[in-house]
Structures are given as C-alpha cells and as structure tokens.
Amino acid sequence: MSLSSNNVQSQIRVRISSRRRVADRIDEFELTPVDVASLPAWSAGAHIDLTTPAGPTRQYSLCSSPDEAGTYRIAVERRSDSRGGSVSVHDDLAVGSEVWISAPRNHFELTRALEYVFVAGGIGITPMLTLIEQARHSGRPWRLIYIGRTRAEMAFADDLLACHPRHVTVHESSHAGRLNLGVALAGLARGTAVYSCGPPSMMDAVADACAVQPAVDSFVERFTVSVHSAAPNEAFELSLAFSGVTVTVPEDRTIIDVLADRGVVAPSSCREGMCGTCETGVVSGEVDHRDSVLSPEERSENESMMICVSRCTSGRLVLEL
Ligand code: FES
C-alpha cells in the first residue's frame, strides 16, 4: 500500500496494531506509532484526522484513554452510503497497514458543570467514552442516553451498561420507536452541561430541548457538514496582518484557495468546516461563520474562523497571518 499525505511534515505515521469488531459494521482500530516512541498527549473529546488509503481525510474521535501514551484507538462504522472514507478504512486497513494521522485536536472538551448529560446516537458514542470517564473523575452526577437502531449496532453498549447500570439508558429505536428528546431532556438542573454526538437530526433535537432551558449549556460534536449561511457569497478584501498581503476573495472562491494562489499555504484537512485544522485568528471584520466546529459563543467572540469555508460580510477582513 502506498502512503499519501498532503502535509506529511505535520502528520504522524502509525501502524494498525490490532483490529476488532465492536458492533455490526463497526470495528475498533488500535494505532501505534511507526517513527516515534510515543504519540502526542490528548484530552477527552479529542479527534484525529486520518488520511484513508483511498485518499479522503476523515475525522475520528479517540476512544482509548488519554493515559495510554503508546497507542490511540478509534472506532469506525463502515458506511457504504457515505463518501468513501469509512469504506476505505474497513476494506483497506488490516493489522500491519500504515496510515498517516494528524495530532489530536479538541473542540469538544468537558467544561466545568454541576451535572453532565451525554446523548449519543450510533457511532457518536466514541467521543462520549472519554468524556464520561472525565465526568466520573470529576465526581459530578452524570448520565448517558445512548440511542441506536438495534443493540447489535451499538458499539460498547454492553460494557457501558455492565459498568454503569444506574447511569446509562440504552434506547433501541427499532423496538421503542423514536425517542422524544424534548421529554427525555426536560427539567434539567441548573448548571447542567449536555454533550451530544450523532445524526444531525438528533443533535438538532438536543439543541432544541436545551434552548428552552437557559441555565443549561449544550455542546455538539459534528462530523457531517451541517452549517449553511443565509448570506449570499460576496467578494471582499482580505489583508494579512503579519505579512502585509492584501488580496480580493471573489464570491466564488474560498479564502484558503485564494491564499494558496499567493503562496500562503495554510494548514487544512477536511476543507468542509468540520475538523478545525484551518482555524485562523481574526483581527477585524465581520465573519460569516460556515463551519461545524465553533460554538455559538466562540462565533460571537469573532476571534477566529475556519478559512476553508467561512467568509466575510463587512467588505474587509484582516487575519492573523
Ligand atoms: S480544513 Fe477542516 S475546518 Fe477547515
């Protein structure tokens, strides 16, 4: 197998050191470094980018323990209806195969809260495993609502129920129908933080249930593109504060592509506003955020943006580049 990477210097070569089935169509892969003794440290909720043998780069949450320095583990659902990344991981990566990954990044960290509620849908359970461990160590009350079509398709459900029977609720929609999250999440205590990862419709329902409870914070981890701007694309002037470059970003081009034409190559991975690799500091200008990474609070702070998808609505933008 040949290795490919757009940005090999910043990437880490790993070998698949073990692989096991953890649910229908879901395998867990253990990744061990090839060129270095240990892998970068990470915190609960982090994900890596993995350059699949077929070419696309995909984001996968780490589901091992941050205390395990020598390996990472990810769990991947083989989705033949997706854009090919997960199929390549399943079909092309055997024990002994080598792939490139990024260092971990984290846009889904556990905040300080009085209580925690985790809502996972299907493979969205993966970031929850480490968040749950951190919540347990915090000593705060926590519970998990784990939604899937059938138990056989729900990775780690048996272990979670066996270890935490009073904290974990498993909802099989093939038997019980669609869970009403508005009811399941009603009446949360003040200071509760709700973390959700799963299908967009589920995360939207969680966000709706939290929005009517002002003393509750909601955090989502999206690995699908979901944010669309109401604003039409318009050209704007872009200045780089450190290099002094000024360019026009036409309505039909992205910031990152225009910069690449001028020889300014910014780090990037997904180029769809999902991974956070291209996050860039904003000096001035109104940003039209179109990513799935930043929280509403981070957007309103206007301190950074994803330059692979987001744009400017004030005619002029200055970036920390
Ligand atoms: S490259 Fe992934 S968010 Fe921009």
Side-chain angles (χ1 to χ4, degrees):
M1 179 187 65
S2 66
L3 295 170
S4 64
S5 169
N6 295 330
N7 190 4
V8 170
Q9 269 87 21
S10 64
Q11 298 222 328
I12 305 160
R13 187 161 52 141
V14 293
R15 182 175 292 123
I16 309 300
S17 47
S18 71
R19 173 177 175 169
R20 69 177 180 125
R21 178 128 299 189
V22 290
D24 287 356
R25 302 191 315 280
I26 300 175
D27 282 8
E28 183 184 68
F29 298 79
E30 183 182 68
L31 313 177
T32 305
V34 174
D35 305 309
V36 291
S38 62
L39 292 164
W42 56 284
S43 56
H47 72 268
I48 55 167
D49 298 345
L50 185 148
T51 305
T52 65
T57 297
R58 294 289 178 263
Q59 291 71 48
Y60 297 108
S61 296
L62 295 175
C63 55
S64 41
S65 164
D67 297 332
E68 289 175 40
T71 58
Y72 293 157
R73 276 184 281 127
I74 57 173
V76 180
E77 179 180 20
R78 189 183 190 282
R79 297 197 53 143
S80 49
D81 61 341
S82 70
R83 296 165 296 159
S86 68
V87 171
S88 177
V89 170
H90 270 254
D91 294 358
D92 301 333
L93 294 184
V95 172
S97 300
E98 294 179 2
V99 281
W100 293 93
I101 62 171
S102 70
R105 281 189 297 278
N106 199 343
H107 296 280
F108 202 46
E109 287 181 326
L110 201 74
T111 59
R112 290 166 70 93
L114 297 178
E115 295 189 22
Y116 297 101
V117 176
F118 304 100
V119 184
I123 193 65
I125 191 64
T126 52
M128 302 304 179
L129 299 177
T130 54
L131 292 177
I132 286 171
E133 281 309 299
Q134 193 175 343
R136 286 183 58 229
H137 286 126
S138 76
R140 300 292 186 188
W142 68 274
R143 64 186 168 105
L144 166 71
I145 301 172
Y146 186 5
I147 303 166
R149 211 178 61 79
T150 67
R151 185 77 165 266
E153 298 167 69
M154 300 171 75
F156 312 113
D158 291 344
D159 288 346
L160 285 162
L161 275 171
C163 293
H164 314 292
R166 290 185 298 108
H167 297 262
V168 175
T169 304
V170 168
H171 182 92
E172 290 178 78
S173 57
S174 62
H175 303 317
R178 189 185 177 101
L179 179 64
N180 185 332
L181 283 162
V183 173
L185 297 174
L188 297 175
R190 290 182 69 84
T192 299
V194 180
Y195 286 77
S196 63
C197 184
S201 59
M202 185 207 81
M203 291 189 286
D204 290 345
V206 172
D208 290 346
C210 295
V212 297
Q213 303 182 72
V216 169
D217 288 320
S218 168
F219 303 88
V220 299
E221 178 81 316
R222 294 185 189 271
F223 290 122
T224 54
V225 182
S226 68
V227 177
H228 302 284
S229 173
N233 281 9
E234 291 188 356
F236 57 92
E237 184 183 272
L238 169 65
S239 295
L240 307 187
F242 302 147
S243 59
V245 169
T246 296
V247 292
T248 298
V249 179
E251 61 196 23
D252 60 346
R253 302 207 66 206
T254 64
I255 293 174
I256 205 164
D257 286 341
V258 169
L259 290 180
D261 289 349
R262 295 293 298 261
V264 180
V265 179
S268 68
S269 178
C270 71
R271 291 184 166 245
E272 294 183 277
M274 294 189 296
C275 70
T277 307
C278 67
E279 184 170 7
T280 302
V282 174
V283 176
S284 63
E286 285 299 317
V287 178
D288 177 15
H289 291 285
R290 301 183 176 192
D291 63 277
S292 303
V293 176
L294 297 178
S295 67
E297 294 74 24
E298 289 169 326
R299 289 178 187 192
S300 62
E301 289 166 0
N302 211 46
E303 291 180 350
S304 69
M305 66 185 293
M306 304 303 148
I307 60 173
C308 64
V309 292
S310 297
R311 302 186 63 82
C312 169
T313 53
S314 56
R316 184 160 189 271
L317 179 68
V318 183
L319 293 178
E320 291 177 355
L321 281 174

